[in-house]
Amino acid sequence: MRTDVKHFLCEIEDGIAHVRLDRPDRKNPLTFDSYAELRDWFRDLVYADDVDVVVFGSNGGNFSSGGDVHDIIGPLTRMNMKELLRFTRMTGDLVKAIVNCGKPVIAAVDGICVGAGAIIAMASDLRIATAEAKTAFLFTRVGLAGCDMGACAILPRIIGQTRAAELLYTGRSMTAEEGERWGFFNRLVTAEDLETEATALARQIQAGPNFAHMMTKTMLAQEWSMSIEQAIEAEAQAQAICMQTGDFERAYKAFVAKERPVFEGD
């Protein structure tokens, strides 16, 4: 998987990709270029054998301040409808790329996490935060609807319909304590421990059966639009596929030998 990106930071070490935005002096806003490059990077991740888990981290004490006011918001006011739709579809494609990348994504959130930054955290599979994390879906603050980049579909599934409605209507910040209590954050840690804890969680996941993790992520996304009957059948097929993997056989042999299985992702 390529690390020679231009509009964000990316390091890959022992199967874990560490990604973060790189404008800490402005609380890491997104630009047209970083949106597009992140979208393409997550799309390519589907085919990357050297990455098992992604940690989307903070930088300089903040996760992301969302779309850059000068580089994005201003130009949007001068675009026609065709150009605007091209942009909104591109931002939505970033969320789809994260959801469909086939690899677990962990958001490590510190400080400001608002607008499109909050959406990236929302689209991740797991979220760890510091007590200083302030998360806001503040689209109404700039005269837009709260239904941006899948927020009205995904956020209620994480924190519930009425809590999501409050955040999307008011644009207010969700505190870190609220985020943990409502299930948005898996847990809170100190700022000093944030990267260590996120990496440790990534290592824990990576030590498991990564092909099966891919199937789990796929089912988590696809079953949103399925009936119970369809979901049960889809999971039956997914599990039958996983039963043909080497990891399934390794787990069995390790159990018989009373040993801990060592998974290889095949």
Side-chain angles (χ1 to χ4, degrees):
M1 188 66 190
R2 62 191 181 92
T3 57
D4 59 336
V5 293
K6 297 180 180 179
H7 302 289
F8 61 95
L9 298 177
C10 177
E11 298 177 352
I12 299 174
E13 183 179 358
D14 297 329
I16 298 178
H18 292 269
V19 172
R20 67 192 76 216
L21 295 169
D22 190 28
R23 300 176 72 189
D25 56 317
R26 298 178 64 181
K27 301 179 182 178
N28 306 311
L30 286 143
T31 65
F32 292 117
D33 290 331
S34 58
Y35 264 124
E37 191 169 38
L38 280 167
R39 173 204 61 195
D40 294 343
W41 189 86
F42 274 101
R43 282 177 171 173
D44 292 343
L45 196 58
V46 176
Y47 309 103
D49 292 330
D50 60 335
V51 176
D52 301 313
V53 186
V54 177
V55 176
F56 202 121
S58 299
N59 190 359
N62 293 290
F63 189 75
S64 174
S65 57
D68 189 279
V69 173
H70 302 292
D71 292 349
I72 290 185
I73 306 300
L76 289 179
T77 64
R78 300 185 291 273
M79 290 184 184
N80 60 37
M81 181 56 67
K82 183 177 180 179
E83 294 168 328
L84 290 169
L85 187 56
R86 182 183 299 119
F87 169 73
T88 54
R89 283 175 170 163
M90 178 185 72
T91 62
D93 282 344
L94 171 57
V95 173
K96 289 189 283 187
I98 294 172
V99 171
N100 296 313
C101 71
K103 312 294 169 67
V105 179
I106 301 168
V109 180
D110 189 18
I112 297 300
C113 175
V114 301
I119 295 290
I120 290 174
M122 177 196 75
S124 301
D125 299 282
L126 301 164
R127 290 162 291 277
I128 299 176
T130 69
E132 292 72 38
K134 295 179 176 62
T135 307
F137 301 83
L138 40 63
F139 308 108
T140 57
R141 298 287 184 92
V142 295
L144 297 175
C147 57
D148 197 54
M149 300 171 68
C152 285
I154 301 173
L155 189 61
R157 290 179 166 89
I158 300 173
I159 66 174
Q161 183 81 4
T162 55
R163 288 167 176 165
E166 179 188 353
L167 296 182
L168 296 177
Y169 279 127
T170 67
R172 78 164 179 86
S173 291
M174 174 177 61
T175 66
E177 186 275 334
E178 283 178 323
E180 183 186 35
R181 178 158 46 89
W182 291 356
F184 188 81
F185 294 124
N186 293 84
R187 62 176 177 267
L188 302 182
V189 300
T190 65
E192 294 75 16
D193 292 335
L194 179 60
E195 187 169 346
T196 301
E197 290 285 336
T199 301
L201 179 57
R203 294 283 179 219
Q204 180 182 355
I205 294 171
Q206 184 188 37
N210 289 309
F211 179 87
H213 289 337
M214 179 273 293
M215 296 296 286
T216 299
K217 177 157 183 162
T218 300
M219 290 297 99
L220 282 170
Q222 291 185 357
E223 289 182 34
W224 284 0
S225 58
M226 293 181 185
S227 67
I228 294 297
E229 290 78 8
Q230 290 171 326
I232 291 172
E233 173 59 23
E235 291 190 3
Q237 295 179 23
Q239 205 69 303
I241 293 170
C242 289
M243 288 173 182
Q244 291 188 312
T245 63
D247 277 346
F248 180 62
E249 184 175 352
R250 291 183 192 100
Y252 168 70
K253 290 180 177 178
F255 178 81
V256 171
K258 297 183 179 179
E259 297 173 349
R260 186 182 184 88
V262 177
F263 296 115
E264 298 181 18
D266 62 349

